[in-house]
Amino acid sequence: MSNPYRCPNCKTNKTRFNKIEQIAQPIKMDAQTGETVDSYQNGNIEAFHIIYQGPDYKVQCAVCGNIEDERAFTQFAKLGH
Ligand SMILES: [Zn+2]
């Protein structure tokens, strides 16, 4: 299912966008060096590690450069005239 977009910033663009796929990678890093010490490739993330549950996509308006959650663009399209 697809929904129309409209940029809530410039308010005119309904056709040109950059869809930015968000792929959250859980990591554990060394506090001193910033080196990744675990990227949980085997899937056993600690219980207290909050898993990313945000939107799959960010969207950038390719006219004014505004970046928002996809929802901001679809909501604004619904308000549109
Ligand atoms: Zn815009």
Side-chain angles (χ1 to χ4, degrees):
M1 203 182 92
S2 57
N3 291 298
Y5 286 179
R6 186 180 174 203
C7 176
N9 186 54
C10 66
K11 299 179 173 59
T12 53
N13 178 31
K14 301 175 184 178
T15 55
R16 296 173 189 281
F17 302 96
N18 296 309
K19 279 188 92 168
I20 305 159
E21 193 173 2
Q22 305 203 94
I23 302 167
Q25 188 183 350
I27 58 158
K28 188 176 192 177
M29 65 164 65
D30 184 289
Q32 305 306 320
T33 67
E35 231 171 282
T36 301
V37 294
D38 197 349
S39 56
Y40 304 109
Q41 298 297 336
N42 51 10
N44 58 344
I45 297 168
E46 288 104 325
F48 52 81
H49 189 118
I50 295 171
I51 300 300
Y52 178 74
Q53 292 179 322
D56 291 340
Y57 290 97
K58 287 271 186 189
V59 175
Q60 180 177 41
C61 171
V63 173
C64 74
N66 180 41
I67 300 175
E68 306 266 6
D69 289 349
E70 182 177 45
R71 194 167 165 279
F73 288 86
T74 56
Q75 289 298 101
F76 199 74
K78 281 176 194 160
L79 298 173
H81 305 286

